[in-house]
Structures are given as structure tokens and as C-alpha cells.
Amino acid sequence: MKKIISAALCATMLLGTAALTSCDSYKKTPSDFKLPYSDYNLADYVTLGEYKGLEYTEIDTTVTSDQIDAKIKELLSDYTTEELITDRGAQYGDTLSIKYTGFVDGEQLENGSGSDTITLGSSGYIDGFDAGLVGVKAEETTTLHLTFPDPYPNNTDLSGKAVEFIVRVNSIRGASDIDLTDEFIAGLEKEEYTTVDGLRAYAEKLALEDNKESARDKAVSELWNKVMNSCTFTSVPEKEVSDYADNMMSQYKAYADNYSLTMEEFCEQMMGMDYDTFSSQVKAYAEANIKQEIVLMSIVNAEKLRLTDKEYDAGMEKIAEQQSTTVEQLESNYDFEILWKSIMWDKILDFIVDNGKPVAAAETTTSADTTEADTAA
């Protein structure tokens, strides 16, 4: 199941936050800037639970040879051609044509079936979906036993629920093999590597960075879920929820207009549901996000956190890079409050991880049953 598109600016993960000291500068924050939700007494809406000293699973970031090979394939993708793969199972980076059906509690999942073409490793489906398809060959079917995220904004009724996906891999396309020699690598004239050994070392370095980022993301997700679950909500500011939902619907209407569709047609054709169902999901998503913002600002107030100029600059550079734009364009297109919340969000997540307690991961087994399918699509 793919994630709903958020109308809010996506937060970007900072690699670290500077400690507040008497030497910090705050000139980038306008003098008339009011903290978000400063007009509300947040204690009327939420009672904070624990957010410091929480345990999270420590993830092994050791790089495997398969990861190095996948990274090399990525680095050399401009020098290869894509071909139909029939003699091996799917690997990360391959393009897969799939057909899938989802089941929850033995019942077929509404809007949980379809066909798609995905790049393995970046499909956008829930955690474990891509990993479960590694090694599956073309014209094989596999059963993936997964769990929806908690919370799951697309459909809050599915949050944390076990789901079974039956996935048929119709075809696999992957990059053609390259005869790696020092002569070939030297001819690429890359500063980062000039030999095969140098290429492998560079690929290992990049793979390690990916593993560390992935481990950090999982720690953030695990800890933030614990933070939210430990909070007690009495209500949410209805105006904030309404404004957030209206903003999202305006974004979706713009998408619909681009395709010359009414919102009803857009929901049916592009989202796979009727307008009323989609509207209710948008409202649920908006409420979930407002709850998170309330918790965010409650922690900001409790810890008296502010953004230094250094943190603001680093955050803006990171957002600009991920949005493929410039800091100047971001500052022109977005209100300061939106940018501030995006950067502060990452600072809070870093704060929670830095104050968390890593614990060794328990041994787990991958649950995926692969069987030979008939040749019918």
C-alpha cells in the first residue's frame, strides 16, 4: 500500500543538531515570529508521556557483499543497458512487473489489490514488501507476511495490523553485466575511484552510509511511536485539523485539474476510492498530523528548544537539496512557520534518539513463502 501524498512540506532528516550555548545566534528567526500553537494551552489537549530514556532496537549496519554489488550496479547504471532477466531471482535495483492481492484477517483488503511496475528497494510500499521479493524469479508467486505501520495515516483502521500479500512477479528487468577491469574503471575518469578495488571501497562506504541512515530512520520511527502512544489526548483543535485537511484537498484538486478531472473522478481513477472515503481519510490523516504537531510543540516548550542560525541554515540546505531547489526559492515559496516546523521536527527527532537507549535486536526470521506459479499472468 503506497503512502498518501502529504500537502505539507516533507520534513528532512538532519545528521545532527548543535547544542544550545550562550554563543548561539538566533538572527534568522524573525523578531515577530510566534511559536506554532502559542495561542493554545496545549495541556488542554494532551498530557505528555515519556520521551526521554526510551529504548529502541539497535540495528546492525554491517555492509554485506550483496549491498556492495547493488551499489556498484547503481554507480555504473549509466554504462549499462536494461535487459529481461530469466536466470536469477530479483535483486535490489531491478525493475519488476508485479500483480498483488492483500488480505487482512483472511478477508481480501479493499483497495489492496492491483498491478504495478516497481523498482525493487524504492517501491514506496510498506516495510518488508521489497525485501520479501528479493530472490523471487519471474513467473513465481510469493506470500509476504507483513504488518502495517502504526500509525498508518492512509487508513487508521489498518494501523499495526498483520497483512498478507500474495505477489506474483510477472517479469524482471535488470542492468546488463559489465566486465569490470581496472582499465574500464580508469576510463570512467572518476575522482572517487580509479580501480576495481577503489570502486568496491567507495561502494562499501556509500552502502554503510545508507545502512546508518536506515538504522537511524528505524530508531526514529520506533521511538516516535512510543512517544505518541505514551501521550493522552483529550481533544484536538478542530480549526487546525480543518485548515490542514482543506490545504491537502486544495493540493489534490490542483492535481485533478492538471488531469482535467473532477475531484470525484480523480478519487475513483487515481486513488481507487470514492470521494467520501477519500475525504474521510484526508481528515483522519490531518487529525493524526495535528496530534503529532501538538506533541512536538509540547516537547519544544518543555525543553525550551529553539533553532539556532546554524541549525536553520543546515536545515534549509538539506531541504533545498531534497526538493531540488534553492534556499532562496524555499524562503520565497513558503511561510517561515512551515520551514521552521520542518527543521524543528528533525531537531526533536534527533533529540529523542540522542536521549534514547539502544538495545540489542532479538533474532528474527523472514516470513516469506515462495512457490512456483503457473505460467498464466
Side-chain angles (χ1 to χ4, degrees):
M1 301 292 290
K2 292 189 176 179
K3 296 181 179 178
I4 196 168
I5 303 172
S6 172
L9 180 65
C10 293
T12 55
M13 300 307 299
L14 301 183
L15 297 180
T17 54
L20 298 181
T21 72
S22 59
C23 297
D24 287 327
S25 172
Y26 301 90
K27 295 179 181 178
K28 296 295 178 70
T29 301
S31 58
D32 60 348
F33 175 63
K34 291 176 59 178
L35 289 178
Y37 298 92
S38 58
D39 293 334
Y40 295 93
N41 180 10
L42 296 184
D44 292 340
Y45 298 94
V46 65
T47 300
L48 274 181
E50 297 294 330
Y51 60 88
K52 290 190 287 189
L54 297 174
E55 293 184 348
Y56 65 92
T57 306
E58 189 172 33
I59 304 296
D60 183 9
T61 59
T62 302
V63 177
T64 66
S65 58
D66 285 345
Q67 289 177 319
I68 295 174
D69 291 340
K71 186 59 68 173
I72 289 175
K73 182 185 294 186
E74 179 183 324
L75 290 169
L76 300 180
S77 60
D78 289 342
Y79 310 98
T80 61
T81 57
E82 195 172 64
E83 59 185 18
L84 197 64
I85 303 297
T86 59
D87 59 350
R88 63 165 174 80
Q91 299 175 355
Y92 287 120
D94 286 344
T95 300
L96 275 59
S97 170
I98 63 171
K99 184 176 182 180
Y100 63 90
T101 304
F103 296 87
V104 172
D105 297 330
E107 299 290 332
Q108 185 169 331
L109 187 61
E110 184 178 359
N111 301 317
S113 302
S115 299
D116 202 357
T117 299
I118 64 172
T119 299
L120 202 59
S122 57
S123 70
Y125 287 80
I126 64 174
D127 285 351
F129 191 94
D130 288 29
L133 297 181
V134 172
V136 181
K137 294 182 177 180
E139 299 186 354
E140 283 186 349
T141 295
T142 187
T143 300
L144 308 179
H145 304 286
L146 308 175
T147 302
F148 281 106
D150 188 6
Y152 184 56
N154 280 20
N155 187 338
T156 54
D157 291 337
L158 296 177
S159 296
K161 281 198 171 184
V163 58
E164 181 181 271
F165 283 105
I166 299 177
V167 185
R168 174 184 169 82
V169 176
N170 294 321
S171 65
I172 303 170
R173 301 193 71 87
S176 57
D177 291 332
I178 293 178
D179 185 17
L180 288 181
T181 64
D182 286 345
E183 181 180 7
F184 172 79
I185 298 301
L188 301 180
E189 299 182 346
K190 298 290 185 180
E191 292 183 3
E192 298 86 355
Y193 48 86
T194 57
T195 65
V196 173
D197 288 343
L199 170 63
R200 291 195 66 83
Y202 182 65
E204 182 175 7
K205 173 179 176 290
L206 295 181
L208 179 59
E209 291 174 357
D210 289 347
N211 287 355
K212 288 182 176 179
E213 182 177 355
S214 176
R216 183 77 167 182
D217 289 348
K218 289 179 180 178
V220 163
S221 178
E222 183 179 348
L223 286 171
W224 187 248
N225 282 337
K226 288 185 176 182
V227 170
M228 292 299 296
N229 290 335
S230 72
C231 293
T232 302
F233 291 90
T234 54
S235 62
V236 291
E238 286 299 327
K239 180 181 183 304
E240 302 297 332
V241 174
S242 178
D243 288 349
Y244 196 105
D246 288 347
N247 186 37
M248 288 187 67
M249 292 301 284
S250 295
Q251 293 283 339
Y252 282 114
K253 186 178 185 307
Y255 301 150
D257 290 344
N258 285 339
Y259 291 98
S260 299
L261 298 172
T262 66
M263 276 300 293
E264 288 75 11
E265 292 170 336
F266 176 82
C267 291
E268 292 284 353
Q269 297 178 28
M270 308 295 284
M271 307 306 293
M273 63 188 78
D274 60 48
Y275 178 81
D276 290 340
T277 300
F278 180 70
S279 296
S280 65
Q281 288 196 10
V282 167
K283 184 176 181 180
Y285 184 86
E287 182 172 323
N289 274 273
I290 295 303
K291 284 184 175 181
Q292 293 189 74
E293 288 190 359
I294 289 174
V295 173
L296 165 74
M297 289 311 304
S298 295
I299 296 174
V300 167
N301 294 336
E303 297 294 331
K304 297 180 172 57
L305 298 177
R306 298 294 182 267
L307 288 182
T308 67
D309 290 347
K310 183 178 180 181
E311 290 168 334
Y312 176 82
D313 289 341
M316 290 298 291
E317 290 291 343
K318 193 72 173 181
I319 296 172
E321 180 181 351
Q322 293 203 349
Q323 298 287 324
S324 299
T325 186
T326 64
V327 170
E328 291 74 22
Q329 281 295 318
L330 287 172
E331 292 178 330
S332 173
N333 294 338
Y334 294 96
D335 291 338
F336 180 82
E337 180 177 327
I338 293 177
L339 299 171
W340 185 93
K341 282 197 291 189
S342 180
I343 300 169
M344 180 56 80
W345 176 259
D346 293 325
K347 178 170 181 171
I348 288 294
L349 295 179
D350 283 337
F351 177 86
I352 291 171
V353 173
D354 292 342
N355 285 276
K357 297 178 180 178
V359 296
E363 290 189 5
T364 58
T365 56
T366 301
S367 183
D369 309 314
T370 302
T371 59
E372 193 75 28
D374 56 29
T375 56

